[in-house]
Amino acid sequence: IGVRADFFGNCVEFPTLARAWQRYCVIVTEMSDARLRMAITAPVKLAGGRIESGLADVLINDLHAAADAGDRAGRLPLLAHVLAVTWSRRTGNRMTISGYRAAGGIARAVADTAEDAWSSIGPEDRDLARTLLMALVHVRADGAALRAPLDLATVGTRFGEDVSEIVDIFAQARLVTVSDEVIMLIHDVVLTAWPRLRGWIIAGKDSLVWHQQLDVDTEIGRASCRERVSSPV
C-alpha cells in the first residue's frame, strides 16, 4: 500500500493497519535536487531528445517555489504534467525554456491544459461536463476535497451516452485516467491547480457532502433489503 504522508493520521485510526504500519512501514522521503534532475533529464535522453541548458535548473527552482506556496504533495504530478506538455512543444528533439514557459510553467501547466480541454467542449455539453467532473470529487468531513473513482459500468446510464466524448477529451488532456473499471482524476493536484474546478468545489461543498451521504444511505438501504430477501422470516 502506498500512502501520502498527509494521510498517515487517517491510517493509524485502524488498529490492524497501524500494527502493520509499525512493523513494515518504509518512508519514502522527498527527492533531492540531484534525483529531480535525473527524473527530468533521463527520460528525455532515453527518447533521443535533448534539454536546453538551464531548463532543469528552472524546473527545480519552480518546484521549490510550488512547495513553498503549500503545494508540496502535488509537486511530482505537476512536474510530470509540465514535462509532457513541454515535450509536446519541443523544437525538433530539443526541450527548451521557451517551450516550458509557453506550457505555463509549473504554476499554470495543469490549469492551462484543463482550460484548453474545457474550451473544446461545446456550450451545450458544459453542464454535463461539470456534473461529470464533480462526480469525480469526494469531500471529507473536514472539508478537504479528494478525487473519487467513478464506476465505468454506470457512467452511460448515469450521465447518458454523450458523456463518452467528454471523457475522451479529458483523458486525452491527461486530466483523467480511464481503466477497465473506473474513471478517475489523474491526481488530487487537479482539484487545486485548476481554478475553475476548485471554484466549483468551494461553491458546491455542502451539496457534494449531502449527495455523498445520500449515496451511503441508499446503499445501506439496498443492502438491508437484500439481506431481508435472502433471509426471509
Side-chain angles (χ1 to χ4, degrees), residues 52-63 65 82-83 85-87 89-90 95-110 112-113:
E52 180 180 356
S53 176
L55 175 55
D57 292 324
V58 171
L59 281 161
I60 291 170
N61 289 336
D62 286 355
L63 278 174
V82 78
L83 284 172
V85 178
T86 304
W87 175 255
R89 295 176 178 272
R90 66 189 181 277
M95 291 175 63
T96 64
I97 295 175
S98 61
Y100 167 68
R101 297 298 187 203
I106 293 292
R108 290 289 312 171
V110 171
D112 289 350
T113 298

Side-chain angles (χ1 to χ4, degrees), residues 16-37:
T16 300
L17 185 54
R19 287 192 296 271
W21 199 288
Q22 287 178 317
R23 295 183 61 187
Y24 304 111
C25 178
V26 176
I27 297 175
V28 180
T29 59
E30 287 190 281
M31 297 173 71
S32 65
D33 284 1
R35 289 176 177 173
L36 285 171
R37 188 178 301 277

Side-chain angles (χ1 to χ4, degrees), residues 6 11 27 36 42 62 71 92 99 101-102 108 154-155 163 208 229:
D6 49 335
C11 294
I27 297 175
L36 285 171
D62 286 355
D71 200 9
R101 297 298 187 203
R108 290 289 312 171
T154 66
V155 169
V163 78
L208 281 170
V229 170

Side-chain angles (χ1 to χ4, degrees), residues 111-169:
D112 289 350
T113 298
E115 281 300 308
D116 286 344
W118 179 256
S119 65
S120 69
I121 297 172
E124 70 281 3
D125 291 326
R126 288 183 179 173
D127 285 344
L128 176 59
R130 174 174 175 168
T131 301
L132 171 68
L133 289 168
M134 295 298 280
L136 297 171
V137 179
H138 175 82
V139 177
R140 296 192 318 197
D142 61 2
L146 306 170
R147 59 184 179 148
L150 186 61
D151 186 359
L152 186 62
T154 66
V155 169
T157 302
R158 183 173 175 180
F159 300 99
E161 296 302 325
D162 291 343
V163 78
S164 61
E165 295 183 10
I166 296 172
V167 171
D168 287 343
I169 288 173

